[in-house]
Every structure is written in structure tokens, then in C-alpha cells.
Amino acid sequence: MTSPAARLSPVYTGLPLTVFEWMSGLARESGAINLGQGFPDAPPPAQLTQAVVRALHERSQHYPPMAGLPELRDAVAAFYAREQGLALSRDAVIVTSGATEAVAASILAVVSPGDEVLLFAPAYDAYAPMVRRAGGVPVFVPLAPPLWAYDEAQIRAAITPRTRALILNDPLNPAGTVASAADLAMLARLCIEHDLIAICDEVWEMVRFDGVPHRSLLAEPGMAERTVKIGSAGKIFGATGWKVGWMVAAPDTAAVLAKAHQFLTFTTPPMLQWAVAEGLADAALPPAILAEWATSRRALIDGLAAAGFAVAANAATWFACIDLAASGIALDDRTFSERLVREAGVASIPISALWEGDGGPTTIVRLCHCKPVAMIDDAVARLERFRDGV
Ligand code: GLN
């Protein structure tokens, strides 16, 4: 008889552990420097942790409203008015337990069995399994390094009468590149022409180092009614363990998204919601955090370049990518990442883990830079020694 575990959902029985958990596990076991999974080493800003403590003492610890504290929903709307010129009402915002839950709730609310969903590869590894679990069919459109540009002809060729939605991650994890104004206009045109919903994972919207304000696909003409915009306090404030995120959509769409959310996590810890509402109201906070990340980013990029690694240009996220072949390393990315963490004590993310099927890049590795500069310098020295030894 087949074991009960083998008869669980084939979407999950066949899946490996996420590359982030795999690498962080190896790093924890061996005490390696973890430049794999993206998280800052430093705690979130003290004013936010103090706000959590205050809320723990002064506010209710019981279920907050399912769609989120009204104060946080208002704060998200005001934040997007200030940062991106968006005019949103409280009803457009649904608070979730992290952006990953927002992605799941959006997919569950949008995708019906048999629907095709366009994903751009490389893709964050949660998207395709969730589309499949919703009964949908992920259809991958490849982006080509080093620019990871959106190719209209390839996207058009992938659209069929069954295509229901696309998932856009902009700025793009793992590459850290940003869609151009022309890309956004083109994607909006295609969504409108083919009646598609755009699920936009914009968690990196505030982690931009080119000084250019983020522009959402939701802001394109005709897109406000067909876009779900996903954001993350974890990324804005460097508080990844808090798991506070949100979905933004036209109120009638948001009401349906909320129904998916109500049967996933239902609510998100109220003390964290209070603190995030306070943080979003402080316009000086995101630039101050970004300035710190910019320093460690420079340390990693300049350190790698000085050591002879080929670092790809990018504008956003906590990540820098190196090309192994162009850096004089004749290993594929998976072998490199696994050997690097075991032999040199540095965890990294092989990009091929975020690419389903063959034909994707196999020589690109992602490194996280929001770490103390001394740790980055140590990691670069270890990378250099490892490269010279293979
Ligand atoms: N977003 C994080 C990253 O790209 C990973 C989050 C996770 O591990 N689920 O590193």
C-alpha cells in the first residue's frame, strides 16, 4: 500500500524545500555567513520595536479586524499617496501576514481551475506551486540576463484565450532590475487587450538605489481596476520576521481578495500592525534605512568587483548577482552554492533554483548585501579564496 504521505497533493510531494530554507539551514548548521536568504542582520528601527512594545501594553491583543486595523489600512493608503502619488481609499487595502500570504490569497481569489497564469522566469519560488494548487497552469516567459528585459513578442506568444492573469515582480527578485516605463506601458496594454488581472509583487518598491521613485503597474491608465498590488513592511523597514504585508486593489476586487485572506490567516498580529502604521507615517524613516543599506550594498559590489568577480548591474533589492563563468569559476550555480557554503562558509542563492525546466541561466548566483560591512568584507575574502582554490 502506498503510504499516506505519498498520496498528499502532488503539487507539494514533488517539491524540494525552498532554496531559501535549504541554504539558511546549511548556514545555520555550519555557522556560515548567510548571504543567501534575504534579510538584514540589524533589528528593525528602534522606534518600530518600541511601538510594538507600546502596543503590546496599551492595545488589544485579540483578533483585529479581518481586513486589517483601520489605522494601518489608512496608513498604507496615505503612504502610497505620499510615495507614489496613488489615490487609494481604506477599502482598497487588505492587510496580510506577509507578502507571501498576499500572493497566495491573490492567486486563490483570481485563478480558477484551468486558467493559465503568465510568470516571468526567474520567478520567486512561491508563485508556480500556488498557481498549480489553485488549479491553474503556470506559463513561463523567460527573461534574458543581464538586462532581464520583458520581450513583448514572447509575452504575446504565451497568451492564449485561457490566460487569466500575469504575476509581475517589479523590482525583480533575484536580479534587482526594474521594469522600464515602456515595459509597464506594454504590460498594461497587453492586460487590457486580453482582459488579464495583474498580480504585482512590489515588495521591493522602497528598496531602490537609483533615486527613482517606484511606479506601479496599477498606476498605468486602465490598470487600477485590474491590478492587485502587493507590498511588505518586512522589506520597507527591514523587519522580515514580522510578516506584515498587504494587497491593494479596487475596493470591489479587494473585497473578494479579503475573502481568500479570511480563510488563510484571517488576521495579522495587532501589535505589529500598530507599529507598521506608525512607521509608514514617518516619511523620514524609509530614506534613513535605505542609506544604511546603500553603504553595505556598495561594500559588497565594490568588494566583489575589486576581487575580480563579474557583478551584474542593478538598481534595487537587497541583492547583487555575480556571473560565475565571467568571474573565472567553471562550476554551475548549484554546485558553486553548495560547495561555497560547505567549504568556504558563505551561503548564497543559485538562480537556477528560481527557474523551472531547462534553458535558464546556470552560472548566476545571488548574494544579499544588507549586512554589516565587516561581515561583507569577510564574505568577499572567503569568496575570493574559494574561487582561487577551485
Ligand atoms: N524573499 C526572501 C528572499 O528572496 C526569501 C523569503 C523566504 O525565505 N520565504 O531571499
Side-chain angles (χ1 to χ4, degrees):
M1 207 172 74
T2 353
S3 83
R7 284 184 283 112
L8 302 181
S9 165
V11 171
Y12 298 122
T13 53
L15 272 184
L17 195 63
T18 86
V19 65
F20 306 109
E21 189 60 30
W22 174 55
M23 267 296 146
S24 284
L26 287 175
R28 278 192 291 264
E29 263 167 41
S30 61
I33 297 174
N34 192 351
L35 304 190
Q37 192 175 37
F39 62 93
D41 248 50
Q47 78 185 74
L48 289 195
T49 48
Q50 283 157 8
V52 176
V53 174
R54 215 181 321 113
L56 261 171
H57 291 294
E58 295 172 9
R59 306 280 190 178
S60 164
Q61 300 305 306
H62 298 290
Y63 299 129
M66 178 274 283
L69 289 175
E71 290 82 354
L72 176 54
R73 299 170 77 195
D74 286 344
V76 170
F79 169 78
Y80 283 132
R82 183 184 81 216
E83 299 291 339
Q84 297 175 23
L86 300 177
L88 304 166
S89 68
R90 174 193 295 179
D91 294 344
V93 181
I94 307 296
V95 177
T96 57
S97 291
T100 302
E101 196 229 333
V103 168
S106 304
I107 291 171
L108 290 174
V110 168
V111 178
S112 298
D115 285 348
E116 292 174 6
V117 179
L118 296 187
L119 304 182
F120 298 101
Y124 189 56
D125 62 353
Y127 303 153
M130 189 50 76
V131 168
R132 293 195 177 99
R133 201 66 187 93
V137 181
V139 176
F140 284 95
V141 178
L143 306 176
L147 299 179
W148 309 99
Y150 296 86
D151 182 89
E152 179 168 358
Q154 283 192 344
I155 302 170
R156 280 192 183 279
I159 295 175
T160 76
R162 298 165 73 116
T163 310
R164 177 78 188 100
L166 60 78
I167 301 182
L168 178 68
N169 177 211
D170 182 53
L172 176 69
N173 179 8
T177 48
V178 176
S180 68
D183 290 333
L184 293 177
M186 178 269 290
L187 292 168
R189 242 185 358 258
L190 291 182
C191 286
I192 292 163
E193 203 176 300
H194 295 277
D195 194 18
L196 310 182
I197 301 276
I199 298 173
C200 297
D201 173 352
E202 300 180 8
V203 297
W204 302 105
E205 59 197 343
M206 295 299 285
V207 190
R208 262 185 96 144
F209 301 95
D210 56 0
V212 180
H214 176 75
R215 183 171 164 84
S216 174
L217 191 57
L218 181 137
E220 291 294 314
M223 288 304 290
E225 301 299 314
R226 55 175 70 253
T227 302
V228 182
K229 171 180 167 62
I230 293 170
S232 160
K235 290 347 188 238
I236 296 169
F237 299 119
T240 59
W242 287 21
K243 303 297 291 177
V244 178
W246 49 80
M247 309 179 271
V248 169
D252 56 346
T253 296
V256 180
L257 299 174
K259 291 182 188 167
H261 157 73
Q262 73 182 344
F263 295 136
L264 283 172
T265 62
F266 183 57
T267 50
T268 299
M271 58 289 196
L272 301 176
Q273 294 196 51
W274 284 111
V276 169
E278 276 193 45
L280 291 175
D282 183 349
L285 197 49
I289 304 175
L290 196 67
E292 280 180 29
W293 293 337
T295 303
S296 52
R297 175 174 186 263
R298 272 275 58 92
L300 181 65
I301 291 175
D302 293 350
L304 287 169
F309 289 93
V311 188
N314 73 12
T317 72
W318 290 332
F319 312 117
C321 289
I322 54 171
D323 186 278
L324 300 178
S327 303
I329 299 166
L331 298 174
D332 67 81
D333 60 348
R334 257 183 186 278
T335 310
F336 175 84
S337 287
E338 189 154 3
R339 284 190 54 185
L340 184 73
V341 69
R342 292 187 198 282
E343 297 170 30
V346 180
S348 60
I349 298 295
I351 297 309
S352 61
L354 304 174
W355 195 290
E356 281 194 17
D358 299 328
T362 55
T363 64
I364 302 175
V365 167
R366 193 193 83 174
L367 298 164
C368 176
H369 56 61
C370 48
K371 306 286 170 181
V373 170
M375 184 188 283
I376 291 200
D377 292 345
D378 186 4
V380 171
R382 291 178 189 210
L383 273 152
E384 200 175 356
R385 275 199 303 277
F386 179 74
R387 178 199 57 203
D388 296 344
V390 291

